Amino acid sequence: MTTDTATPGGHGKVAVFSAGSWGTAFSIVLADAGNEVVLWSRRPEQAEAITRDRENADYLPGIELPRGVTATSDVALALEGAEVVVLATPSQSLRQNLAGWAPHVPDDAVFLSLMKGVELGSVKRMSEVIAEVTGAGPERIGVLSGPNLAKEIARREPAASVVACADEDVARRLQARCHTAAFRPYTSVDVVGCEIGGAYKNVVALCVGMAVGLGFGDNTTASLITRGLAETARLATRMGANPLTLMGLAGLGDLVATCSSPLSRNRTFGEKLGQGMSTEEILASTRQVAEGAKSCSSLLALARSWGVDAPIADQVDAVVAGRTTPFEMMDAFINRDPKAETD
């Protein structure tokens, strides 16, 4: 459930880790909202180029960055005096990276996770990893989720998302930090629902992409999106999420955008699988990370640990791992026992 209480504007320093497409796009949002933004890049040459050229040519070529955004490869400098620390790294590398960053984070800084994944092995959500590594309490950890295609956000096309934190006042403060003329955040206290919705939609998008790659049409994709939402909601509500969260921006909204847009990395990855490429071939052909390809096995393990039936996660994991083919996956869906699930 979301509330509509935003007041545009926000001031003070925000550190954004790191300088990929989504981190850079959200830096534009933050700067437009009135924040001083420092974008951290692992590569000094990239940080220098971003500051000098006002452009992240590696990930968002042709998009001018606001004057409020600077970049650095110095972790301590990026975090010095930061009131909010935004984390936009690939989910599977968060723990290792954050362990190195955490000693430099101010004691009162609030974390905002933009990541959409579940950690392999531990099956922890990203907010849980942040808490475990940094010792931050739930009142210092927020998550942002919704239809967030980076290029469209960077172009300042109208969009909305959800900022969730267990502390509603903190959620509202984070909301104000990223409310602009083009970006409309809502608030929620349902961190679990937002994180599961954000992670699971990547797996569903892989599945939809495979159907498109196989040449199937709108009936097939609509069926997969709808069943994907049902599967996501089964797991999220079993874990304590508010069912209404899955009907909103962090659930259905994110799912529709990720499954429908050619800008979606996960849908594109799935299309290539459907066209006959292997996971290894696709990974070798791009520098972008499709989170669903990494998180499908961890989400499947999470669903099983909660006793939740997860046929889409199960089949997508099998295709990504090379144990089955996209066509066999579609055949398995059609031939499932009709009593296995209700609509």
Side-chain angles (χ1 to χ4, degrees), residues 92 120 199-211 265-274 276-284 289-300 311-330 333:
Q92 302 307 330
L120 291 165
Y200 223 105
K201 57 91 184 182
N202 289 328
V203 177
V204 182
L206 283 171
C207 189
V208 170
M210 283 186 254
R265 303 172 191 174
N266 291 281
R267 174 182 153 132
T268 300
F269 196 107
E271 282 189 55
K272 292 177 178 178
L273 287 170
M277 292 180 69
S278 69
T279 297
E280 292 72 21
E281 289 170 337
I282 301 169
L283 291 173
V289 176
E291 289 281 12
K294 296 286 188 180
S295 290
C296 55
S297 62
S298 54
L299 278 165
L300 177 60
I312 290 178
D314 188 13
Q315 288 294 322
V316 169
D317 180 55
V319 175
V320 169
R323 297 191 301 272
T324 191
T325 69
F327 186 83
E328 289 168 340
M329 175 192 76
M330 297 302 302
F333 290 149

Side-chain angles (χ1 to χ4, degrees), residues 218-287:
D218 294 338
N219 286 338
T220 305
T221 58
S223 299
L224 291 172
I225 290 170
T226 307
R227 294 314 305 165
L229 180 60
E231 188 168 318
T232 305
R234 279 200 303 272
L235 176 58
T237 54
R238 182 69 62 87
M239 295 175 67
N242 185 332
L244 293 178
T245 300
L246 284 305
M247 299 300 108
L249 290 163
L252 180 60
D254 199 3
L255 182 66
V256 169
T258 307
C259 291
S260 303
S261 175
L263 294 176
S264 165
R265 303 172 191 174
N266 291 281
R267 174 182 153 132
T268 300
F269 196 107
E271 282 189 55
K272 292 177 178 178
L273 287 170
Q275 292 163 357
M277 292 180 69
S278 69
T279 297
E280 292 72 21
E281 289 170 337
I282 301 169
L283 291 173
S285 69
T286 180
R287 68 190 303 170

